[in-house]
């Protein structure tokens, strides 16, 4: 047998072994056969390396993105009351500015990660958030604050589409559930924001009075200290990402771009980082392409001129990534359901959670305990309750007969139920109890939602797919503050609307055609 035939036979054997060990999510003709064959080879190589030091370090630095994604929407909710008191303005404008920034960030960073790669987007977002958040702490007026909040939110909006893709593309199939466990960082972001805001805003803010009394800047520095602190934290996390952790470009991204040699090189670097070796060779990937009956012309000349480079970049912005997400009937159905889920939850979550501080304060006023201290204490309690929810999400998604789809459906419905139940509270403690239930179930729900979405998108289009669902989430998120500008927030109506949307979304989740549990992501 010739060396070429031997290599061809080895490649066939590797593909057959992987199909026996870890089935991929997509079946039949859902994906390009060349891409699918090469993705299986890379999945096999990553499974061979196993979960090691590189992936655990990545779990931490990718977790920074999850932390940021939940921290900053919470930040604007926490500073809302003192900002309104100082500038005597309508609070929802700040939320609107933030959500517009999140929308832009989700669309831009997700698509750019499919164009220029994951690495630069992964390294820029946290630094951008921290820099403009620190600047926002020195805002002289409400317009400046809203403008800077919009810009820092552009950075925040990139965390979900980019970080989930980066993490998923480096972990072996046996540890894919860790994408759900990453939501522990999401819960920690809420807890961290609440803990830091409690002493700063409670002790360095003007009291909330009816009617509003004058609130000079000198007596209301708490929210500025809070922004300086959180912005400084983001800069520290950015330094760790950029200077301490040496992130490699995603091998699946490189393979999807036709850069097989670099993909193999990265796999070997990860193996070396983990103290192991990999048997992956460039012949394996080339052989996979030949098995798919696709001619490979290695001798074709490549135009290396500046004009050609620019032309190739522009071609990358074509609609091919979007078209791939609707290539077959089943994939189109899956993508559509995910878009609907993210859109519905994008409206329901900020409608309720962005104004929960104000809601608790007004209910507390009815119950006679509306002090700033009590309000932020309750926020900390809710944040603590969310942490075990994020941890349990990783357990639930691996249960037989439940999996990602069942867990998402059940806990999305329960989130809506607890929200509706909160409107029945007649005491402050009862309201806090219902909100604790909501905090737990919503953290499980988000943990699964953040994981199942990138799992159901193929690598070469994952950034774009994540960008589409995140954009749908942010577009509907923009509606929440607009509703708040014209609705009476002292009533329970926004709460009823939010709860009903969550319940409907839970039933929609059951319509997802793919169940990622036990399958390797492509």
């Amino acid at each position: 047998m010739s060396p070429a035939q031997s290599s061809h036979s080895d490649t066939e054997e590797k593909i057959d072994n992987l199909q026996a060990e870890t089935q991929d999510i997509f079946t039949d003709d859902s994906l390009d056969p060349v891409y699918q064959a090469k993705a299986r080879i890379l999945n096999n190589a990553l499974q061979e390396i196993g979960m090691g030091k590189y992936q655990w370090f990545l779990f931490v630095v990718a977790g920074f993105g999850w932390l940021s994604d939940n921290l900053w929407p919470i930040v604007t909710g926490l500073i809302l009351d003192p900002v309104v008191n100082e500038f005597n303005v309508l609070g929802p404008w700040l939320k609107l500015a933030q959500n517009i920034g999140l929308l832009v960030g989700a669309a831009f960073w997700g698509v750019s990660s499919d164009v220029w790669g994951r690495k630069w987007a992964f390294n820029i977002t946290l630094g951008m958030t921290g820099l403009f958040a620190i600047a926002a702490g020195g805002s002289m007026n409400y317009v400046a604050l809203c403008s800077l909040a919009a810009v820092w939110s552009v950075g925040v909006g990139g965390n979900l589409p980019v970080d989930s893709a980066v993490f998923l593309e480096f972990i072996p199939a046996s540890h894919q559930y860790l994408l759900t466990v990453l939501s522990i960082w999401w819960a920690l972001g809420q807890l961290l924001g609440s803990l830091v805001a409690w002493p700063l805003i409670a002790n360095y803010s003007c009291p909330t009075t009816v009617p509003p009394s004058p609130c000079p800047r000198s007596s209301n520095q708490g929210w500025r200290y809070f922004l300086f602190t959180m912005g400084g934290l983001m800069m520290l996390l950015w330094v760790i990402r950029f200077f301490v952790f040496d992130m490699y470009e995603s091998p699946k991204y490189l393979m999807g771009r036709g850069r097989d040699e670099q993909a193999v090189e990265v796999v070997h670097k990860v193996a070396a980082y983990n103290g192991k070796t990999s048997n992956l060779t460039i012949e394996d990937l080339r052989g996979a392409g030949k098995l798919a009956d696709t001619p490979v012309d290695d001798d074709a000349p490549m135009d290396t001129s500046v004009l050609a480079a620019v032309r190739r970049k522009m071609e990358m912005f074509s609609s091919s990534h979007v078209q791939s997400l609707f290539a077959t009937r089943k994939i189109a159905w899956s993508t559509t359901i995910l878009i609907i889920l993210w859109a519905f939850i994008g409206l329901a979550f900020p409608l309720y959670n962005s104004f929960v501080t104000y809601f608790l304060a007004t209910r507390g006023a009815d119950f006679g305990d509306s002090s700033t201290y009590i309000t932020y204490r309750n926020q900390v309690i809710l944040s603590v309750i969310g942490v075990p929810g994020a941890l349990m999400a990783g357990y639930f998604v691996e249960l037989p007969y439940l999996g990602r789809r069942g867990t998402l459906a059940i806990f999305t419905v329960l989130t809506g139920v607890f929200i509706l139940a909160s409107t029945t509270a007649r005491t402050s403690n009862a309201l806090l109890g219902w909100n604790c239930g909501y905090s737990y179930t919503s953290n499980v729900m988000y943990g699964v939602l953040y994981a199942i979405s990138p799992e159901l998108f193929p690598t070469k289009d994952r950034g774009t797919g994540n960008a589409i669902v995140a954009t749908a989430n942010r577009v509907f998120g923009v509606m929440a503050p607009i509703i708040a500008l014209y609705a009476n927030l002292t009533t329970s109506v926004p709460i009823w609307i939010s709860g009903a949307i969550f319940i409907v979304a839970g039933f929609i989740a059951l319509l997802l055609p793919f169940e990622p549990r036990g399958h390797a992501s492509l």
Side-chain angles (χ1 to χ4, degrees):
M1 181 182 294
S2 69
Q5 290 174 319
S6 176
S7 175
H8 184 85
S9 176
D10 291 343
T11 301
E12 283 183 308
E13 183 180 353
K14 287 186 178 183
I15 293 178
D16 291 339
N17 288 341
L18 181 62
Q19 286 177 313
E21 294 166 9
T22 55
Q23 294 179 323
D24 51 86
I25 295 171
F26 302 101
T27 56
D28 305 323
D29 60 347
S30 297
L31 291 177
D32 172 14
V34 177
Y35 172 83
Q36 199 166 11
K38 290 184 177 182
R40 290 193 184 113
I41 292 291
L42 290 176
N43 280 338
N44 194 26
L46 290 172
Q47 188 66 52
E48 180 186 27
I49 295 170
M51 192 73 185
K53 184 169 64 172
Y54 182 86
Q55 285 89 346
W56 286 116
F57 206 156
L58 187 61
F59 180 87
V60 174
V61 294
F64 296 164
W66 258 254
L67 183 146
S68 174
D69 189 77
N70 196 26
L71 171 64
W72 289 99
I74 293 295
V75 164
T76 52
L78 292 170
I79 69 173
L80 198 58
D81 278 349
V83 166
V84 168
N85 289 339
E86 179 176 332
F87 295 123
N88 194 23
V89 290
L90 291 173
W93 286 112
L94 178 59
K95 302 301 299 184
L96 180 59
Q98 179 190 51
N99 279 288
I100 290 173
L102 291 172
L103 168 60
V104 173
F108 174 75
W109 293 113
V111 175
S112 68
S113 71
D114 276 347
V115 175
W116 293 296
R118 321 295 198 217
K119 185 173 181 178
W120 282 104
F122 185 77
N123 283 329
I124 290 173
T125 50
L126 288 181
M128 180 179 183
T129 302
L131 183 64
F132 286 98
I134 292 173
S139 298
M140 300 301 294
N141 54 59
Y142 193 50
V143 173
L145 176 61
C146 289
S147 301
L148 290 168
V151 180
W152 90 50
S153 297
V154 172
V156 176
N159 290 310
L160 168 65
V162 176
D163 296 8
S164 58
V166 167
F167 185 70
L168 185 61
E169 289 162 20
F170 275 105
I171 57 174
S174 59
H175 288 72
Q176 240 171 243
Y177 70 91
L178 288 175
L179 187 63
T180 303
V181 180
L182 262 177
S183 61
I184 184 66
W185 290 94
W186 200 77
L188 289 174
Q190 181 178 356
L191 176 59
L192 177 65
S194 301
L195 282 173
V196 175
W198 188 4
L200 290 180
I201 297 181
N203 294 321
Y204 299 97
S205 299
C206 300
T208 302
T209 59
V210 181
S213 57
C215 181
R217 174 173 176 170
S218 58
S219 302
N220 199 48
Q221 293 280 45
W223 68 269
R224 298 177 187 275
Y225 297 154
F226 183 48
L227 285 182
F228 291 147
T229 304
M230 294 296 96
L233 173 65
M234 289 298 106
M235 294 305 295
L236 174 62
L237 299 183
W238 171 75
V239 167
I240 295 174
R241 266 195 185 183
F242 197 83
F243 294 104
V244 178
F245 180 65
D246 184 15
M247 182 197 158
Y248 308 128
E249 185 56 86
S250 162
K252 287 185 181 178
Y253 164 80
L254 292 170
M255 177 272 291
R257 284 280 171 235
R259 293 145 65 181
D260 291 352
E261 294 88 348
Q262 294 177 46
V264 172
E265 182 182 352
V266 168
V267 170
H268 283 278
K269 284 182 178 179
V270 172
Y273 196 99
N274 289 351
K276 294 187 177 182
T277 58
S278 173
N279 295 320
L280 181 68
T281 65
I282 184 61
E283 286 74 21
D284 292 332
L285 294 184
R286 288 174 178 166
K290 292 174 183 177
L291 285 176
D293 296 326
T294 298
V296 179
D297 186 4
D298 294 327
D299 299 323
M302 180 176 176
D303 188 348
T304 58
S305 68
V306 175
L307 181 61
V310 172
R311 189 185 304 118
R312 282 193 294 271
K313 289 295 183 185
M314 296 305 294
E315 287 172 354
M316 291 175 185
F317 280 109
S318 70
S319 60
S320 60
H321 289 297
V322 177
Q323 291 172 352
S324 297
L325 298 173
F326 297 88
T328 68
R329 194 171 185 176
K330 206 169 184 180
I331 288 184
W333 179 254
S334 175
T335 302
T336 302
I337 294 297
L338 285 174
I339 291 172
I340 293 172
L341 283 173
W342 277 98
F344 278 20
I345 293 174
L347 173 60
F349 185 74
L351 190 62
Y352 178 75
N353 206 51
S354 293
F355 300 97
V356 69
T357 305
Y358 179 79
F359 181 73
L360 290 173
T362 56
R363 290 295 157 268
D366 294 341
F367 304 138
D369 55 0
S370 62
S371 71
T372 304
Y373 177 87
I374 293 294
T375 298
Y376 286 94
R377 182 209 66 181
N378 289 352
Q379 187 66 33
V380 169
I381 292 173
L382 295 177
S383 302
V384 170
I385 295 296
V387 174
L391 287 173
M392 291 304 295
Y395 169 74
F396 290 135
V397 296
E398 291 298 314
L399 292 177
Y401 306 110
L402 194 61
R404 273 76 157 159
R405 186 166 45 194
T407 303
L408 178 61
I410 291 171
F411 281 90
T412 304
V413 169
L414 287 176
T415 298
V417 168
F418 278 115
I419 286 177
L420 296 179
S422 70
T423 63
T424 68
R426 295 295 176 265
T427 67
S428 180
N429 288 335
L431 178 63
L432 180 60
W434 289 122
N435 279 311
C436 284
Y438 157 77
S439 181
Y440 176 82
T441 57
S442 65
N443 272 276
V444 176
M445 174 196 72
Y446 261 105
V448 181
L449 187 64
Y450 273 35
I452 196 173
S453 300
E455 283 183 324
L456 292 181
F457 295 131
T459 299
K460 64 189 181 67
D461 310 304
R462 182 167 291 136
T464 301
N466 286 341
I468 289 173
V469 295
T471 299
N473 181 265
R474 304 310 186 186
V475 166
F476 277 72
V478 169
M479 297 181 186
I482 294 175
I483 292 171
L485 284 168
Y486 298 99
N488 182 2
L489 291 181
T490 61
T491 72
S492 299
V493 173
I495 309 303
W496 280 97
I497 295 173
S498 177
I501 293 173
F502 274 117
I503 292 174
V504 171
F507 286 105
I508 291 176
L510 293 173
L511 301 177
L512 284 168
F514 299 112
E515 170 52 61
R517 191 187 75 83
H519 300 277
S521 171
L522 293 180

